C-alpha cells in the first residue's frame, strides 16, 4: 500500500543517506563480517541509535543493524497517513489478553531511527521518586540507578535533541533551561490549559523534540500535524536526524534492511557475534560485544530465539524473567465537541500537558501516576477511534466524523504496574525470515483500572470546564511499551545490571525500554536515551579499567 | 572623513523623502536654514522609519491575526498617516510647526498607547497570563510602543521647529538636545527589550542575533550619558554608535530575509514563512531611533556652536 | 445534510506548496487505482462494496469514494497491520471467511444474498453481527463481532478516510508539506484551509 519504500539497502558501498538533502549521501565507514567489531548493536532507535553514537564517539568500532529502511524524510515521506504506515512494525505479531495491544503507531517502528521516526516527540523526565518506586512510594521496583545521575543524562539528551520546552517547568526539582523555546499552542492545547486553570491545577507547554528555531540543516516546525506519520521537514529531532548522523561521522556503520535472527554463543560462555539476514542471505557478523536494542518485544524475542544447548530458555534468561513484566502505558482518551473551531490537525498533536497527577500523591486510590496531553488525531486515526472504541458505523459514524474540526481531546500516559503474566513469548508462527514471531499477552490489573478510572473522571471534568459537550471516553487503549528484560541489583530478580549488561553473559548487553523496572507516567523515549548515554559512559569507564 | 560620513548620513535619511510622491525640493543651503529646523526634519525622518516599520509590521501581523477585531485596522491607518506626515515634515524647511502634522502625531501617540493596552490585555487574559510563552506568541506588547515613540518624537519635532532662530529649543523644561538624547536612549532600550524577548524565543540560534541586543544598548548608554552630561567628547562616540544602529536597522532586514529562507520551503513557501519566520519589517525601527538620536546631537551642537 | 465545507477541494492544493512530490506521487497513485478487484472474486467484491456502503454511507451529490479498492489491494499484498488477535485468522483468511459468513447469515435470516437485501435489512443484519447474535456455522473460528469490529470497521473506516474526497467532507487540510499551518488558535484559519458553512 505504500508507494515509496526502498527495496534494497541504502547504507552500503562506503556511504549512507544524508537525511538532510534530497538524494544526498554522507561517507560511512564499513566493516567486513569477519572483522571482530567492538560492538554490534541490534536496533537503531532511542536505545541503539543513541548508544551507537556515544560508543563510536568514544572510539569503539560499531556496527548497528536495523531491519527497517534508511529514509530520507525530505523525499520519502508523504503527507498521508496510509502511505506512512510504512514506518510502523507491520510484520505479524500475535496479541491476546483482555487488553490485547494494538501494535504499530503507538509503540513500534521499523526504520533506521526506530519508532522515534514516528514518535510524538514528547520528551519528559521521570519524577525523581520513580527511580526508587518500591522504597519511596511503596509499589513496583527500585531502579538500580540514582535519579540525580539520570537527570544529568536527561540534560545531555535534551541538549542533543534541542528540546523545545517552557521557560519554567512547573513540576519537580529545578532543571536547566530547555535549549529551545516552547512552541506556540494550538486551540486543542488551549482547551487543556483552560480546563486545568478551571480545575486549579498547573499545566505547561509540552517539552517536544521538534525545533522551534532553525538548527544546522534542519528547519523549524511548520505545524503540519503529521508528526506520528513521520516528519517530512526534519524539524523532528529523532535518532534518525540526531544521533545517527553523529554516529556516522564518528565512524560507525549502519546496516539497514538487516534482520538479526540469532545471537551466537561461543564455547567460552561469551557471545561471538550475530546471524543476520540482508540482501537475500544469512550472514554472520563477528563482535566482541553484542547489544540488543530492539525494544520490549523484539529484544526478548531475539534472546528467546537465540536459545542454545547451554541456555535452552534463551540467552540472559537464568532469572526466567526475559519476556516477563511487559508494561504498556494506559492511553485512554476523553473527547468532546467544542462550539469553537479547533482544527486539531494543525501542529504537533500534544502541545500542552499536565503532570499534576504524576507529582501529586494525595487523593489517589491507586499506585503510580499519569500525565495527560492535548490531542490531534488525523482522520484515519480518528475514524479508528470512532469505530474501535465506540463501535460506530453507518450514518452515526459519518455524523460524528462531520464534527472533526470541532473536536478536542485529552489523553493520558498512565503508569501501569509490572505483572508477570503480561509477557512476550514465541509463537509457532514464522515470519518472512523463518523466525518464530512474538506472542504478546497484555491485560490491565486492578490498580491499572483504578488509575484509568481516576484519569477519565478528571479529564471529563477538565473538558467540561473548558466548554466541551458530548464528552465520551475511550475504553482499552495502550501506548508505549516497557519492561520484559528488567534491570536491577540482583541477578535472581533482574536480567541486567544498571549498565544493561546481562548477568549471565558478560559481553551481551541490552539498551532499550525493555530495561525499565517500572513504567512511570511519562513517554519513555527521553529516559531510554538517557540510559543509553549512561551505558556508554559506563562502558568507557569499564574499558579503561579493563573490565569489559 | 567626517564630511563624508555626514553626506552619507544625509543620503540615508533622505530615503523616505525620495520615496514620497512630492517632487524633490531643491537642496537647502545649511547656513541659511536654522539648525533647529534641520534637527526637526531629521526627527521627522526618524519618525518616518518608525511609522513605516509599524505600518508594515502591523499589516503583516494583523493579517496573520485575520483582522479578527476591527481595531486591528487602526494601526495601519494611523501609521500610514504618521508616515505621510513624517515624509512631509522631512522635506519641510519651514521654521513653523504644522497643525495637521502635530495632530497626526498626537493621534499616533494615543493609538500606540491604546495598542499597548490592547496587547497587554490580550496577553493577560490568556491561560498562563504574563508567562514567557504568552509574551512570545500573543500580541507583542512592544510593537505598538514603536507607534507611541513615533508620535512622541513627531510632537517633539514640531516643538523644536517652533524655536525662534537664536533660541535654544526646549522640551519638558529641558534643552531639547538633552531631552531627546535621553528619550532616544529610552526608546532604544524599549525596542531592545522586545528584540531580546523575540530573539530569546528564537533561542539565539544564530550568533548574529546578539547584534541588536548589544550595539543598541551601547548606543543607548552613550546617549543616556550625553543626556545627563552633554560633554562634547562623547558626541563622537555617540554618533559612531548611532550610525551603527542605523545600519543595523537595514542589515536586520537582510538577516531576517535569510531567516525566512531558513524555514521549510524557504521563500517559495512565502505564505507561511513570511509569517512564521522572523518579521522582515521589524528591524528598521532601529534606523528611526538612531535618526532621533542624531537629531538630538544636532541640537546639542547648535546649542554649543 | 447541508454540505459543511461548500466549495472546498483538497485536490485544488495539489500544485501549491502544501504538497510535496512524495504526497503528489502517493495520492495520484491512489486516485488512479482501478476500481476493480485484483484479489477478491467478483462475488466477494460486490459483497464488499455493499458492506462498505453500509459502514460508511456516502453523501449524495458528492463524488463517490472507491472504498473497497484499498481493502482489495491490502489483501492482494497481504499487508497486515503488524498485530493480530490470537483468536483471529490471518488477514486474507479473515476477510474471505467473513464475507462468506456474512452472506450465509443474510441467507439464513432474510433468505437472500447480502447484496440483494434492502439497506434497512442489511443494517439490521450488521447490527446482529456487532452484538455477536449470529446463527450461521460459517462464523466458526472467526467470530462475527471480532470480524465486524476488528476487521470490517477497522479496514473500511481507514480506507474511506484515505481519500481526498473524505477530507473535503470533514474539512481536513490534507497534505501539508512543505507548507504547514500558521494560524492555530481558536476559530482561526489559514487561507488554504476549508471554510465551514454557517448553516450547519
Amino acid at each position: 500500500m505504500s508507494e515509496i519504500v526502498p527495496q534494497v539497502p541504502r547504507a552500503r558501498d562506503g556511504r549512507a543517506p544524508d537525511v538532510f538533502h534530497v538524494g544526498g549521501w554522507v561517507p560511512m565507514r564499513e566493516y567486513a563480517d569477519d572483522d571482530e567489531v567492538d560492538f554490534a548493536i541490534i536496533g537503531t532507535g532511542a536505545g541503539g541509535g543513541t548508544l551507537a553514537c556515544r560508543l563510536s564517539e568514544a572510539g569503539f568500532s560499531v556496527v548497528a543493524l536495523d531491519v527497517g529502511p534508511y529514509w530520507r524524510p525530505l523525499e520519502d515521506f508523504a503527507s498521508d497517513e496510509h502511505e506512512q504506515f510504512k514506518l510502523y512494525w507491520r510484520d505479524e505479531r500475535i496479541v491476546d489478553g483482555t487488553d490485547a495491544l494494538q501494535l504499530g503507531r503507538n509503540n513500534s517502528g521499523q526504520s533506521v531511527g526506530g519508532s522515534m521516526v514516528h514518535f510524538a516527540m514528547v520528551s519528559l523526565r521521570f519524577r525523581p521518586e520513580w527511580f526508587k518506586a518500591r522504597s519511596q512510594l511503596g509499589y513496583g521496583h527500585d531502579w538500580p540507578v540514582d535519579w540525580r545521575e539520570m537527570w544529568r543524562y536527561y540534560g545531555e539528551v535534551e541538549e542533543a535533541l534541542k528540546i523545545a520546552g517552557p521557560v519554567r517547568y512547573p513540576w519537580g526539582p529545578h532543571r536547566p533551561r530547555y535549549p529551545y523555546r516552547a512552541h506556540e499552542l494550538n486551540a486543542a492545547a488551549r482547551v487543556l490549559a483552560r480546563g486545568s486553570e478551571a480545575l486549579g491545577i498547573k499545566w505547561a507547554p509540552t517539552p517536544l523534540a521538534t525545533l522551534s528555531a532553525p538548527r544546522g540543516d534542519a528547519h523549524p516546525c511548520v505545524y503540519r500535524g503529521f508528526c506520528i506519520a513521520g516528519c517530512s521537514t526534519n524539524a523532528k529531532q529523532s535518532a534518525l536526524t540526531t544521533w545517527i548522523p553523529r554516529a556516522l561521522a564518528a565512524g560507525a556503520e549502519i546496516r539497514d534492511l538487516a534482520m538479526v535472527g540469532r545471537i551466537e554463543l561461543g564455547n567460552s560462555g561469551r557471545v561471538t557475534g550475530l546471524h543476520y539476514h540482508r540482501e537475500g542471505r544469512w550472514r554472520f557478523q563477528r563482535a566482541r560485544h553484542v547489544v540488543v536494542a530492539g525494544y520490549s518485544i523484539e529484544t526478548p524475542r531475539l534472546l528467546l530465539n537465540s536459545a542454545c544447548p547451554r541456555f535452552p530458555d534463551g540467552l540472559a534468561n537464568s532469572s526466567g524473567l526475559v519476556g516477563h513484566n511487559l508494561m504498556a502505558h494506559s492511553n485512554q482518551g476523553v473527547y468532546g465537541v467544542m462550539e469553537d473551531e479547533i482544527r486539531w490537525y494543525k501542529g504537533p498533536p500534544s502541545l500542552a500537558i499536565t503532570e499534576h497527577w504524576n507529582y501529586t500523591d494525595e487523593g489517589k486510590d491507586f499506585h503510580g501516576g499519569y500525565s495527560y496531553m492535548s490531542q490531534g488525531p488525523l482522520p484515519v486515526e480518528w475514524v479508528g477511534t470512532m469505530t474501535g472504541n465506540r463501535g460506530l458505523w453507518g450514518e452515526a459514524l459519518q455524523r460524528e466524523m462531520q464534527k472533526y474540526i470541532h473536536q478536542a481531546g485529552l489523553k493520558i500516559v498512565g503508569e501501569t504496574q509490572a505483572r508477570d503474566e503480561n509477557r512476550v513469548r514465541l509463537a509457532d508462527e514464522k515470519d518472512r525470515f523463518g523466525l518464530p514471531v512474538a506472542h504478546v499477552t497484555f491485560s490491565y490489573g486492578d490498580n491499572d483500572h483504578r488509575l484509568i478510572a481516576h484519569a477519565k473522571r478528571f479529564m471529563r471534568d477538565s473538558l467540561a470546564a473548558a466548554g466541551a459537550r458530548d464528552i465520551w471516553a475511550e475504553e482499552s487503549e495502550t501506548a508505549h511499551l516497557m519492561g520484559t528484560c528488567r534491570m536491577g541489583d540482583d541477578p535472581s530478580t533482574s536480567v541486567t545490571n544498571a549498565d544493561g549488561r546481562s548477568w549471565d553473559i558478560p559481553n551481551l548487553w541490552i539498551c532499550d525500554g525493555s530495561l525499565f523496572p517500572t513504567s512511570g507516567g511519562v513517554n519513555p523515549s527521553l529516559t531510554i536515551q538517557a540510559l543509553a548515554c549512561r551505558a556508554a559512559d559506563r562502558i568507557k569507564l569499564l574499558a579503561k579499567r579493563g573490565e569489559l | 572623513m567626517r564630511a563624508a560620513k555626514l553626506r552619507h548620513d544625509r543620503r540615508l535619511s533622505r530615503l523616505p523623502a525620495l520615496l514620497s510622491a512630492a517632487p524633490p525640493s531643491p537642496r537647502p543651503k545649511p547656513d541659511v536654514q536654522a539648525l533647529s529646523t534641520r534637527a526637526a526634519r531629521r526627527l521627522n525622518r526618524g519618525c518616518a522609519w518608525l511609522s513605516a516599520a509599524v505600518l508594515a509590521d502591523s499589516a503583516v501581523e494583523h493579517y496573520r491575526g485575520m483582522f479578527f477585531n476591527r481595531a486591528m485596522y487602526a494601526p495601519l491607518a494611523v501609521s500610514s498617516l504618521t508616515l505621510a506626515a513624517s515624509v512631509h515634515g522631512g522635506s519641510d524647511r519651514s521654521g513653523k510647526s504644522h497643525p495637521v502634522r502635530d495632530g497626526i502625531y498626537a493621534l499616533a501617540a494615543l493609538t500606540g498607547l491604546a495598542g499597548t493596552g490592547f496587547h497587554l490585555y490580550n496577553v493577560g487574559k490568556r491561560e498562563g497570563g504574563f508567562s514567557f510563552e504568552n509574551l512570545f506568541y500573543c500580541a507583542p506588547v512592544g510593537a505598538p510602543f514603536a507607534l507611541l515613540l513615533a508620535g512622541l518624537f513627531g510632537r517633539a519635532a514640531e516643538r523644536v521647529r517652533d524655536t525662534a532662530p537664536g533660541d535654544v529649543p526646549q522640551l519638558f523644561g529641558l534643552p531639547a538636545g538633552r531631552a531627546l538624547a535621553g528619550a532616544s536612549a529610552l526608546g532604544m532600550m524599549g525596542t531592545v527589550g522586545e528584540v531580546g524577548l523575540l530573539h530569546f524565543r528564537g533561542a539565539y540560534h544564530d550568533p548574529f542575533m546578539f547584534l541588536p541586543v548589544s550595539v543598541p544598548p551601547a548606543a543607548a548608554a552613550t546617549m543616556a550619558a550625553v543626556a545627563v552630561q552633554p560633554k562634547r567628547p562623547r558626541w563622537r562616540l555617540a554618533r559612531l554608535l548611532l550610525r551603527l544602529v542605523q545600519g543595523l536597522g537595514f542589515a536586520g532586514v537582510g538577516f531576517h530575509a535569510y531567516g525566512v529562507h531558513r524555514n521549510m520551503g524557504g521563500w517559495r513557501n512565502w505564505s507561511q514563512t513570511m509569517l512564521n519566520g522572523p518579521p522582515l519589517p521589524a528591524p528598521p525601527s532601529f534606523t528611526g531611533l538612531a535618526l532621533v538620536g542624531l537629531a538630538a546631537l544636532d541640537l546639542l551642537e547648535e546649542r554649543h556652536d | 445534510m447541508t454540505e459543511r465545507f461548500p466549495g472546498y477541494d483538497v485536490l485544488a492544493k495539489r500544485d501549491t506548496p502544501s504538497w510535496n512530490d512524495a504526497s503528489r506521487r502517493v495520492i495520484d497513485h491512489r486516485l488512479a487505482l482501478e476500481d476493480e478487484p485484483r484479489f477478491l472474486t467478483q462475488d466477494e467484491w460486490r459483497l464488499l462494496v455493499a458492506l462498505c456502503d453500509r459502514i460508511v454511507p456516502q453523501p449524495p451529490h458528492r463524488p463517490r469514494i472507491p472504498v473497497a479498492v484499498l481493502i482489495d489491494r491490502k489483501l492482494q499484498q497481504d499487508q497486515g497491520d503488524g498485530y493480530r488477535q490470537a483468536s483471529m485468522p490471518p488477514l486474507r483468511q479473515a476477510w474471505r471467511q467473513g464475507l462468506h459468513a456474512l452472506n450465509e447469515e443474510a441467507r439464513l435470516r432474510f433468505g437472500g444474498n447480502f447484496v440483494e437485501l434492502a439497506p434497512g435489512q442489511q443494517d439490521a443484519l450488521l447490527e446482529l453481527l456487532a452484538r455477536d447474535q449470529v446463527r450461521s456455522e460459517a462464523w466458526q473460528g472467526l467470530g462475527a463481532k471480532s470480524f465486524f469490529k476488528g476487521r470490517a470497521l477497522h479496514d473500511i473506516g481507514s480506507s474511506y478516510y484515505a481519500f481526498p474526497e473524505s477530507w473535503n467532507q470533514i474539512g481536513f487540510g490534507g497534505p501539508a508539506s512543505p507548507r504547514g499551518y500558521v494560524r492555530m488558535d481558536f476559530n482561526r484559519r489559514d487561507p488554504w484551509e476549508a471554510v465551514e458553512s454557517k448553516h450547519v
Side-chain angles (χ1 to χ4, degrees), chain A residues 236-274:
Chain A
K236 177 185 284 187
Q237 301 291 286
S238 68
L240 178 65
T241 57
T242 59
W243 301 110
I244 291 171
R246 272 173 61 180
L248 290 171
E253 179 186 348
I254 306 292
R255 283 189 204 149
D256 52 342
L257 300 179
M259 177 66 179
V260 177
R262 208 178 127 72
I263 298 165
E264 189 68 35
L265 187 76
N267 293 328
S268 61
R270 293 170 73 93
V271 295
T272 56
L274 47 83

Side-chain angles (χ1 to χ4, degrees), chain A residues 480-541:
Chain A
H480 327 103
L481 309 176
M482 288 127 314
T484 67
C485 294
R486 120 176 134 215
M487 53 158 62
D489 286 321
D490 178 354
S492 66
T493 57
S494 59
V495 177
T496 78
N497 68 9
D499 306 337
R501 192 175 203 170
S502 73
W503 293 115
D504 297 350
I505 303 170
N507 66 336
L508 178 63
W509 308 70
I510 294 169
C511 183
D512 59 26
S514 56
L515 295 173
F516 285 29
T518 57
S519 67
V522 296
N523 311 45
S525 60
L526 198 76
T527 303
I528 297 173
Q529 294 168 87
L531 280 177
C533 289
R534 184 186 175 280
D537 281 352
R538 286 286 302 162
I539 286 169
K540 265 196 290 190
L541 187 70

Side-chain angles (χ1 to χ4, degrees), chain A residues 3-30:
Chain A
E3 299 309 310
I4 307 171
V5 183
Q7 299 298 323
V8 293
R10 281 175 166 173
R12 47 175 296 174
D13 305 327
R15 62 183 196 175
D18 175 359
V19 292
F20 297 110
H21 296 98
V22 173
W25 298 97
V26 291
M28 180 179 77
R29 178 162 179 191
E30 281 182 292

Side-chain angles (χ1 to χ4, degrees), chain C residues 67-86:
Chain C
V67 191
V69 71
L70 280 192
I71 295 164
D72 178 79
R73 298 307 188 274
K74 177 174 175 162
L75 290 167
Q76 185 193 15
Q77 291 164 23
D78 203 13
Q79 180 60 70
D81 304 312
Y83 60 95
R84 193 181 90 230
Q85 284 279 349

Side-chain angles (χ1 to χ4, degrees), chain B residues 96-170:
Chain B
K96 283 259 169 259
S97 67
H98 192 294
V100 175
R101 276 204 313 258
D102 213 12
I104 288 174
Y105 281 132
L107 179 66
L110 288 173
T111 309
L113 204 58
T116 306
F118 268 123
H119 284 200
L120 279 171
Y121 171 71
N122 179 292
V123 174
K125 72 172 181 186
R126 180 77 64 120
E127 306 84 31
F130 291 93
S131 65
F132 268 108
E133 282 74 24
N134 284 345
L135 291 170
F136 293 154
Y137 297 114
C138 293
V141 173
F145 179 69
L147 190 57
L148 172 63
L149 288 179
L152 292 179
F153 290 134
R155 295 279 291 182
E158 300 306 308
R159 299 292 80 71
V160 167
R161 208 184 276 268
D162 277 337
T163 312
D167 278 5
V168 173
Q170 299 278 316

Side-chain angles (χ1 to χ4, degrees), chain A residues 183-438:
Chain A
H183 291 269
E184 183 176 2
L185 299 185
N186 61 9
R190 286 191 64 193
V191 170
L192 180 145
R194 278 185 186 174
S196 300
E197 296 196 349
L199 298 184
I201 63 164
K202 292 177 192 162
W203 64 277
T206 312
L208 293 175
T210 182
L211 298 175
S212 61
R215 178 194 195 188
D217 287 324
H219 307 285
C221 182
V222 295
Y223 308 111
R224 52 193 284 274
F226 281 85
C227 313
I228 61 172
C231 179
S232 63
T233 73
N234 286 327
K236 177 185 284 187
Q237 301 291 286
S238 68
L240 178 65
T241 57
T242 59
W243 301 110
I244 291 171
R246 272 173 61 180
L248 290 171
E253 179 186 348
I254 306 292
R255 283 189 204 149
D256 52 342
L257 300 179
M259 177 66 179
V260 177
R262 208 178 127 72
I263 298 165
E264 189 68 35
L265 187 76
N267 293 328
S268 61
R270 293 170 73 93
V271 295
T272 56
L274 47 83
H275 299 271
Y276 69 101
H277 189 276
R278 197 184 194 207
E279 296 183 276
R281 64 190 180 91
W282 284 99
R283 296 156 57 164
F284 182 75
Q285 174 67 53
R286 296 178 63 214
R288 290 189 189 89
H289 295 267
V290 170
V291 184
V292 193
Y295 207 14
S296 291
I297 295 177
E298 293 307 311
T299 288
R301 178 187 174 210
L302 178 59
L303 294 174
L304 297 175
N305 268 334
S306 300
C308 56
R310 185 157 170 190
F311 292 111
D313 299 326
L315 298 184
N317 198 16
S318 66
S319 63
L321 285 172
V322 169
H324 289 262
N325 297 298
L326 172 69
M327 295 168 282
H329 278 138
S330 44
N331 197 220
Q332 279 68 14
V334 169
Y335 299 98
V337 179
M338 302 287 289
E339 187 67 35
D340 295 310
E341 292 178 13
I342 303 298
R343 300 185 193 253
W344 60 1
Y345 53 84
K346 296 189 279 191
S350 297
L351 279 163
I353 184 173
T354 176
E355 280 207 69
H356 176 80
W357 291 109
N358 273 337
Y359 284 86
T360 303
D361 296 322
E362 295 76 40
K364 287 176 176 173
D365 58 346
F366 55 88
H367 287 306
Y370 63 86
S371 54
Y372 65 80
M373 287 162 251
S374 55
Q375 294 298 302
L378 301 187
V380 171
E381 186 188 351
W382 182 234
V383 74
T385 299
M386 296 300 221
T387 59
N389 270 287
R390 299 179 76 182
L392 290 181
W393 58 278
E395 297 292 351
L397 172 65
Q398 299 294 61
R399 244 192 333 270
E400 285 303 302
M401 288 301 291
Q402 282 276 307
K403 301 173 186 167
Y404 182 67
I405 70 164
H406 289 273
Q407 293 284 352
L410 307 170
K411 203 168 206 196
I412 55 167
V413 168
E415 184 164 12
T416 51
Q417 301 295 310
R419 292 170 358 109
D420 189 60
E421 57 267 44
N422 288 334
R423 59 180 291 208
V424 176
R425 61 204 141 117
L426 298 178
D428 295 332
E429 214 168 297
K430 304 271 172 56
D431 69 2
R432 60 190 156 123
F433 304 101
L435 302 165
V437 306

